[in-house]
Amino acid sequence: MMLKNPEDRRARRSRKLLKESLLELMKQKTFADISVRDVTDAADMNRGTFYLHYSGTAELLQSLEEDLLEEIQALVDAHMQETVAVGSVAPVFEPVLDFAVEHRETCAVLFTSSEASGFFQSIQRLVHENGTPLVRAWFSPADPRQTDYLLNFLAWGFIGLLAEWFEKDMALPKAELLAAAQRMAEGASAALFAQEGRGRK
């Protein structure tokens, strides 16, 4: 059994520290005001080490966002089969919500600085890529544009629900939030495609 390269471990640790330092700084000031020096000072690291891994703060932020999205996608993949089988978004929605709660601080920072990170747009793409095959399987829409509109509507709705829930310090029980989100998603989908079905008659 080969031992992990200590260089790899050191590099991973450096990247993790830089991301954590950036997040802490983003709680205190806008992303545009954060310099590489700010990040390296907060991480107690020299700038040379920073540039071994990232070209600047924008790439660091993008890497942080990509880490989160990869983990969310892995959760979606793990629960997609069950979601298709039961005909409901619940099996995939709950683990994603749990993940968001676990990473609440990071999500809150990215929500408030989405202009810099493009985090909302990334979630929108993720919903679109995973939702399109579900909508096709469940509703067989005649017009693919309807699917695009529905998924964009649901993505922004999910972001809004989550942001509001965090803002209200998660006062609404998780089960109630999940049930409400599920009813909204299924209600919007059923209403839209029932209308489309009537239009085809």
Side-chain angles (χ1 to χ4, degrees):
M1 184 179 165
M2 287 181 66
L3 291 172
K4 291 240 182 218
N5 186 336
E7 285 295 323
D8 291 343
R9 275 206 306 274
R10 218 173 2 252
R12 275 200 305 275
R13 184 174 171 278
S14 294
R15 287 194 290 268
K16 184 172 182 284
L17 270 173
L18 290 167
K19 286 169 187 171
E20 288 170 356
S21 298
L22 177 65
L23 274 173
E24 281 304 312
L25 288 163
M26 286 172 72
K27 292 176 196 171
Q28 300 157 27
K29 51 185 177 178
T30 61
F31 177 74
D33 292 333
I34 298 170
S35 67
V36 169
R37 183 176 289 283
D38 291 334
V39 176
T40 54
D41 284 352
D44 196 21
M45 209 176 279
N46 64 57
R47 290 204 299 168
T49 304
F50 180 100
Y51 288 115
L52 281 174
H53 303 290
Y54 305 106
S55 60
T57 53
E59 191 181 344
L60 173 60
L61 180 58
Q62 186 183 358
S63 179
L64 191 158
E65 176 195 314
E66 284 168 0
D67 287 350
L68 273 184
L69 293 166
E70 276 175 25
E71 290 190 65
I72 294 170
Q73 185 61 58
L75 284 173
V76 171
D77 292 343
H79 295 87
M80 187 56 84
Q81 202 173 339
E82 188 187 351
T83 292
V84 173
V86 301
S88 161
V89 294
V92 79
F93 193 74
E94 183 165 11
V96 169
L97 184 62
D98 287 340
F99 176 85
V101 171
E102 187 186 338
H103 296 84
R104 178 186 175 183
E105 231 176 52
T106 302
C107 289
V109 169
L110 291 174
F111 281 176
T112 55
S113 60
S114 185
E115 279 180 34
S117 70
F119 193 55
F120 287 172
Q121 288 76 11
S122 298
I123 292 176
Q124 191 179 354
R125 279 196 301 276
L126 187 139
V127 169
H128 205 278
E129 286 162 11
N130 293 286
T132 298
L134 286 178
V135 172
R136 284 185 189 141
W138 292 341
F139 300 104
S140 305
D143 185 348
R145 289 173 301 182
Q146 298 280 46
T147 302
D148 294 340
Y149 281 114
L150 173 72
L151 292 171
N152 285 340
F153 174 77
L154 293 177
W156 288 101
F158 169 67
I159 290 165
L161 276 178
L162 200 54
E164 178 71 9
W165 195 49
F166 286 164
E167 179 71 25
K168 297 287 192 296
D169 211 21
M170 301 188 294
L172 188 72
K174 188 186 83 169
E176 287 183 36
L177 181 78
L178 281 167
Q182 190 175 339
R183 284 197 302 273
M184 288 179 211
E186 290 170 0
S189 307
L192 178 66
F193 292 120
Q195 184 65 43
E196 190 186 49
R198 284 196 292 274
R200 289 202 301 268
K201 286 178 184 173

